Amino acid sequence: MMWYRSELGISVTELIKQGLARMVYDEEDIKKRVKELADEISSHYTADDQLVMIGLLKGSAIFMADLVRQMSIPVEMEYLKASSYKGTMSTGKVRFSCMPEQPWNRNVIIVEDIIDSGLTITATLERIRAYRPKSLEVCTLLDKNLSDVSAKYVGFNAPNDFLIGYGLDHNDRYRHLPYIASI
């Protein structure tokens, strides 16, 4: 594990050693599961299905990039910026910006880093459904199973902890970590 500095001036690795943070999914577990998800999605669609994956920024960027590189079918990539968090707390409101240009009348998969309360993904699904895609599914790396949203493609069932790494952040830090840790 590499050395990453935290806001406390010590590494996340050291926080894990001290019991202040905990490794949840290591780099190898994530790589393996992303490949499995890519294979699963690729088996459900053909090259002619016009698949568009819409990544929810910023958290899903790393996951989506790794996911599409493992796909065996062509896929278009779009992004949507949706946010409802400030620090570790939900604001209770979803703000949208950077809307995708052309997923309409195509098969769409929303790619999310984590489904927590379900607020962001519910609002996103509502927004995308208004454009009448051919089909609409959700792929999430992590699902805390705290909401009524049912993702078709789930990487891992996640603990109800605050997680960082592999795209997940705390105040825009720690997205770069190749693993997922609980703090």
Side-chain angles (χ1 to χ4, degrees):
M1 194 178 310
M2 299 181 74
W3 188 259
Y4 300 101
R5 289 270 167 208
S6 75
E7 293 171 348
L8 303 173
I10 61 175
S11 72
V12 174
T13 303
E14 193 58 35
L15 290 174
I16 290 170
K17 286 180 186 174
Q18 293 177 17
L20 301 173
R22 160 177 84 78
M23 177 71 65
V24 179
Y25 302 106
D26 68 24
E27 188 173 1
E28 290 307 311
D29 290 338
I30 294 168
K31 283 181 184 178
K32 179 181 179 215
R33 189 63 187 126
V34 169
K35 173 65 172 138
E36 291 169 353
L37 286 170
D39 290 346
E40 186 179 348
I41 293 167
S42 295
S43 73
H44 290 157
Y45 297 91
T46 69
D48 297 326
D49 281 331
Q50 295 183 311
L51 182 59
V52 178
M53 297 183 101
I54 301 175
L56 295 183
L57 293 176
K58 299 176 189 174
S60 74
I62 294 170
F63 171 46
M64 187 157 123
D66 288 349
L67 184 66
V68 299
R69 281 194 293 260
Q70 297 295 323
M71 303 280 293
S72 62
I73 59 169
V75 60
E76 293 179 41
M77 296 170 63
E78 290 283 348
Y79 294 93
L80 169 66
K81 191 168 186 181
S83 59
S84 64
Y85 272 79
K86 183 170 184 158
T88 62
M89 302 300 294
S90 175
T91 63
K93 296 178 183 175
V94 180
R95 295 180 317 274
F96 289 101
S97 61
C98 187
M99 285 299 290
E101 293 181 21
Q102 55 182 343
W104 326 131
N105 200 29
R106 295 195 167 121
N107 296 292
V108 175
I109 296 178
I110 305 296
V111 179
E112 177 68 293
D113 56 350
I114 187 166
I115 298 175
D116 195 336
S117 68
L119 179 68
T120 301
I121 195 66
T122 298
T124 302
L125 286 166
E126 196 174 291
R127 171 86 40 123
I128 299 299
R129 276 189 192 109
Y131 292 99
R132 300 182 189 257
K134 281 185 185 175
S135 68
L136 180 60
E137 300 293 348
V138 175
C139 175
T140 186
L141 178 62
L142 302 167
D143 190 343
K144 289 188 176 181
N145 298 304
L146 300 174
S147 76
D148 294 334
V149 175
S150 179
K152 183 168 185 173
Y153 308 101
V154 177
F156 300 99
N157 289 311
N160 191 17
D161 296 340
F162 192 83
L163 304 172
I164 58 167
Y166 198 72
L168 293 111
D169 73 306
H170 177 266
N171 290 332
D172 246 353
R173 293 183 174 196
Y174 311 115
R175 292 184 196 281
H176 67 288
L177 298 175
Y179 54 84
I180 296 173
S182 168
I183 57 171

